[in-house]
Amino acid sequence: MKLPVVIGFGNPLRGDDGIGWRAAELVEARRADAEVIACHQLTPELADRLGDATLAIFLDASIAQEPGTVRVEPLAPVEYRGGSHHLTPAQLLGLAERLKRRVCPAALITAGAFSMDVSERTSGVCEPCVTQMADIAMNMVKQATNLRMRSRTCAPLSSVSAI
Amino acid sequence: MPIHTINPVTRIEGHAKITIHLDDRGEVRDARFHVTQFRGFEKLCEGRPFSEMASLMARICGICPVSHLIASSKACDAILAVTIPPNAARLRRILNLAQVLQSHALSLFYLSSPDLVLGMDAPPDARNLFGVAGDSPEVAHDGVRLRQIGQQIIELLGGKRIHPAWVVPGGVSAPLTEAKRDQVLALLPDGMAALERSAERFRGLLRCFPEEVENFANFPSLFAGLTDGRGKLEFYDGPLRIVDAEGAVLADHLRPEDYRNYFCELNEPDSFLKSAYYGPLGYPNGIYRVGPLARLNVVTACGTPRADHELGALRAFAGSPLLSSFHYHHARLVEMIHSIERIEELLRHPDILDTHVRAIAAPNCEEGIGIAEAPRGTLLHHYKVDRNGLMKWANLIIATGQNNLAMNQGVSQAAKYFVRHGELTDGALNRIEAVIRSFDPCLSCSTHAIGAMPLDVELRGAGGELLDRKRRPL
């Protein structure tokens, strides 16, 4: 059965860089009706999982937004030609589209990082973001599941809201 | 004499450069392969409890950590002076074979298929997995799927895909459950289907490179690898065999304890990678190769039907023994097929769910040696501990170092053929790099100290002019 995929990525030994990882673990602990993956980085093998998913949700830290804030944005696959050492979510979606000739709706949920020093903990500033990201992801998964049960088709992202 | 440099060498694991040395007429006089990174695990493990070694040594590499887990744990088994339970050996074998599957998939599909599918002269920005996915999505898809299957098996058995902590001194830390066994079994048909499609594709594709076959490290050498004692393929445990370029057995049933008689090492002045040679023949006559090509040369057969069928096809095309390193690619396919067949055999063993998977003991020996076949070739860990089990000394013989002499000879051969009249075309440079790719080196695994490392420091001004230079010789 095809399910949503939630992918939280980052380094859990580098403080807030591990926010995405921890948020994914929280989603898994809450037994979301989704495949949940916590990983250090986005690798080409994930493209195979995305190709079969009804919805893809990426969870990550960001240095491009105010620390302690959470942002949600829809994602579209991008055409990319280059090395696979540092893939972005959009590039991974592009690879999935090429391999599986199918695109699933996707979103990126990011939390602004405060500190990425060596640490196994999220900073105090960003700790609330872990729960917030997990709540948003859970809500999106729930809506996608409800839509699937009603229509038995892929959930278009426009009908899945973050809140 | 002019020297041209390829820096970095691309689509390999680790950091290296190649220098091409021209003579007065502008023709290639020599080419050298230089590894420019250093890891030093032989030194940094000193003082640590031996029980940490498996997990510590796994961190040498993110692609083949299981290989180090296995070799390290076997060395620790010897320090404990235990024979591990039979089912622990079966489970370690399955993990090792899954590692071979995912690592070979990375090498063939991610790193080398851009050259094989798109051509050695394809534009550089297309020569990557994304380029293959655009041109031949089914090739890329099968490669991604095979790597994923190998990693999933490692995760199901070991708890995580990279650096699983499951393999420990004395065995493994937990038995296999029925549910996980069935999950792994369910992955195998998909993997075998991907391999059969890939074998059909690559059989034809690999025949389109006659110049590369002729000039990619194509020369006589010795070959080394483990066997199962009956001349069949073996990755986890077995006697070491060495054959010559005619396929004649030079030495057989070699014991790991005697490795210093046959595996000799030396430092190179221009690389952090040690070279190895077969001691009885000395340097450089004792040049030998390890890894998929070598393993298929030291055995008479793989021992599983589909792999043997594919091995037959390879030998029918390339002859036996295989001398050109270009055939490493097809050899990897054969080993991937064998890995899936063997994993299934082991999972269907009636005792695979046996819960006795660890022998418990305190240190009983102050020295231990562990040997196994990593995806890239024979791997050996040798430890010495004190009475409390703290590490005093470690020596690692890594596959990539054992191939160093052959890699250097290979880039020189390729450079002399493909670089004509001093003209460096992009295709020629890519082919020289592709020689190294065919060996699938793991440079992060292979650079550890045996003493003072060579050092060459240049001080340059803002305009790039050389102001001073200091060298520390070996």
Side-chain angles (χ1 to χ4, degrees):
Chain A
M1 184 174 66
K2 297 184 180 186
L3 290 174
V5 173
V6 177
I7 303 175
F9 61 103
N11 189 343
L13 298 179
R14 295 302 296 262
D16 293 345
D17 194 47
I19 278 180
W21 181 297
R22 293 185 195 103
E25 286 186 324
L26 189 52
V27 170
E28 182 158 43
R30 291 179 181 178
R31 303 194 182 197
D33 190 14
E35 183 180 2
V36 182
I37 299 166
C39 56
H40 287 94
Q41 65 182 96
L42 300 178
T43 55
E45 297 80 59
L46 293 171
D48 195 60
R49 313 288 256 285
L50 292 180
D52 293 330
T54 55
L55 171 68
I57 302 169
F58 295 89
L59 309 172
D60 191 17
S62 170
I63 57 171
Q65 65 192 71
E66 196 64 27
T69 61
V70 173
R71 190 182 292 168
V72 185
E73 60 182 280
L75 279 179
V78 299
E79 174 108 1
Y80 169 68
R81 283 195 160 196
S84 54
H85 271 171
H86 303 285
L87 290 179
T88 67
Q91 290 165 348
L92 187 63
L93 287 171
L95 180 60
E97 185 181 27
R98 284 200 175 180
L99 296 186
K100 299 287 219 178
R101 303 190 196 282
R102 181 183 168 274
V103 181
C104 73
L108 173 64
I109 306 173
T110 51
F114 178 71
S115 169
M116 291 187 179
D117 287 344
V118 174
S119 170
E120 288 183 299
R121 295 182 172 181
T122 311
S123 66
V125 171
C126 294
E127 185 61 45
C129 297
V130 177
T131 311
Q132 202 178 345
M133 292 167 83
D135 287 343
I136 295 170
M138 291 288 297
N139 200 40
M140 294 174 89
V141 165
K142 206 169 170 185
Q143 289 184 53
T145 305
N146 291 341
L147 273 168
R148 187 183 80 239
M149 286 169 67
R150 285 205 298 269
S151 68
R152 296 194 183 185
T153 56
C154 283
L157 188 61
S158 58
S159 64
V160 177
S161 58
I163 300 171
Chain B
M1 308 294 167
I3 299 174
H4 297 283
T5 305
I6 300 171
N7 189 15
V9 178
T10 59
R11 283 184 280 130
I12 59 169
E13 192 293 321
H15 304 276
K17 65 181 183 183
I18 294 170
T19 52
I20 304 167
H21 306 249
L22 304 183
D23 62 21
D24 291 337
R25 294 170 297 131
E27 300 296 337
V28 174
R29 179 173 57 82
D30 196 11
R32 293 282 299 167
F33 176 64
H34 314 264
V35 175
T36 54
Q37 68 176 106
F38 175 73
R39 301 304 300 288
F41 273 69
E42 288 174 354
K43 198 66 187 169
L44 63 86
C45 70
E46 289 178 3
R48 305 304 307 169
F50 83 98
S51 54
E52 285 184 2
M53 284 302 102
S55 277
L56 185 61
M57 291 301 187
R59 266 85 186 157
I60 287 174
C61 187
I63 299 177
C64 50
V66 168
S67 306
H68 291 289
L69 275 174
I70 300 275
S72 179
S73 293
K74 291 179 76 178
C76 295
D77 296 342
I79 289 171
L80 296 174
V82 297
T83 302
I84 70 171
N87 202 40
R90 278 181 217 112
L91 293 173
R92 283 182 176 181
R93 278 178 201 278
I94 294 172
L95 196 76
N96 202 23
L97 290 164
Q99 154 110 352
V100 169
L101 178 67
Q102 65 87 11
S103 177
H104 280 359
L106 174 77
S107 172
L108 179 60
F109 291 92
Y110 290 31
L111 302 181
S112 287
S113 80
D115 299 321
L116 303 174
V117 173
L118 305 175
M120 299 275 177
D121 299 300
D125 64 348
R127 291 196 304 251
N128 49 65
L129 182 66
F130 288 81
V132 175
D135 182 270
S136 306
E138 63 283 355
V139 173
H141 179 257
D142 281 342
V144 165
R145 185 79 183 113
L146 284 164
R147 180 138 205 260
Q148 192 198 2
I149 288 172
Q151 289 188 322
Q152 268 184 278
I153 295 173
I154 293 170
E155 187 176 18
L156 284 166
L157 265 59
K160 42 196 271 203
R161 292 171 176 233
I162 301 174
H163 308 147
W166 183 59
V167 181
V168 295
V172 296
S173 60
L176 183 66
T177 64
E178 191 175 348
K180 287 192 177 173
R181 178 201 61 188
D182 293 344
Q183 282 179 273
V184 175
L185 278 169
L187 292 169
L188 302 183
D190 217 13
M192 186 56 82
L195 281 168
E196 285 179 340
R197 286 191 295 269
S198 300
E200 177 133 2
R201 269 182 225 120
F202 278 99
R203 247 181 257 136
L205 205 54
L206 292 169
R207 287 164 201 227
C208 299
F209 295 89
E211 286 186 293
E212 286 76 9
V213 169
E214 192 58 32
N215 295 286
F216 272 30
N218 180 20
F219 47 75
S221 76
L222 307 179
F223 303 95
L226 298 185
T227 74
D228 67 349
R230 290 162 296 163
K232 304 275 171 57
L233 206 52
E234 173 57 46
F235 287 90
Y236 173 71
D237 194 38
L240 186 78
R241 173 183 282 184
I242 304 199
V243 303
D244 67 16
E246 310 292 321
V249 177
L250 211 60
D252 206 355
H253 295 284
L254 296 174
R255 301 185 323 144
E257 295 76 17
D258 301 326
Y259 79 91
R260 278 180 282 202
N261 294 339
Y262 47 86
F263 283 162
C264 297
E265 292 184 292
L266 56 95
N267 268 330
E268 298 285 357
D270 55 2
S271 175
F272 286 125
L273 182 60
K274 296 185 275 187
S275 290
Y277 59 94
Y278 178 57
L281 292 185
Y283 173 84
N285 294 335
I287 180 174
Y288 69 96
R289 283 177 268 185
V290 295
L293 187 90
R295 283 191 287 259
L296 297 186
N297 280 342
V298 304
V299 301
T300 50
C302 299
T304 54
R306 282 157 148 171
D308 278 329
H309 173 77
E310 196 59 37
L311 178 58
L314 171 56
R315 284 175 173 167
F317 168 64
S320 181
L322 307 161
L323 295 185
S324 170
S325 292
F326 187 82
H327 298 309
Y328 265 103
H329 298 305
H330 201 158
R332 280 186 194 100
L333 257 177
V334 172
E335 290 195 336
M336 282 195 273
I337 295 170
H338 172 77
S339 295
I340 292 207
E341 290 182 293
R342 274 294 274 150
I343 289 173
E344 184 174 7
E345 263 179 36
L346 288 161
L347 288 172
R348 296 201 187 280
H349 191 283
D351 297 330
I352 197 61
L353 302 179
D354 187 351
T355 55
H356 185 207
V357 292
R358 190 170 185 181
I360 306 291
N364 288 299
C365 277
E366 292 183 8
E367 195 164 355
I369 295 173
I371 192 168
E373 286 290 328
R376 290 156 185 83
T378 315
L379 171 65
L380 187 143
H381 283 221
H382 180 186
Y383 303 154
K384 292 182 185 173
V385 299
D386 66 17
R387 293 224 167 153
N388 297 312
L390 297 181
M391 292 288 293
K392 292 193 311 190
W393 176 92
N395 186 28
L396 310 179
I397 310 275
I398 309 292
T400 296
Q402 296 173 78
N403 281 335
N404 196 23
L405 287 179
M407 287 194 289
N408 271 283
Q409 201 167 320
V411 295
S412 185
Q413 180 184 38
K416 285 174 181 170
Y417 181 81
F418 290 108
V419 176
R420 313 253 168 93
H421 314 301
E423 194 187 334
L424 295 172
T425 63
D426 179 73
L429 295 178
N430 186 38
R431 283 171 174 81
I432 296 167
E433 289 184 79
V435 174
I436 298 298
R437 274 180 221 122
S438 66
F439 283 89
D440 186 25
C442 194
L443 304 179
S444 296
C445 275
S446 57
T447 49
H448 310 284
I450 64 169
M453 56 188 179
L455 210 56
D456 187 351
V457 180
E458 292 180 348
L459 177 67
R460 291 189 175 267
E465 69 277 20
L466 181 64
L467 300 175
D468 197 4
R469 188 178 193 180
K470 287 283 186 281
R471 301 181 98 168
R472 181 173 75 197
L474 293 172

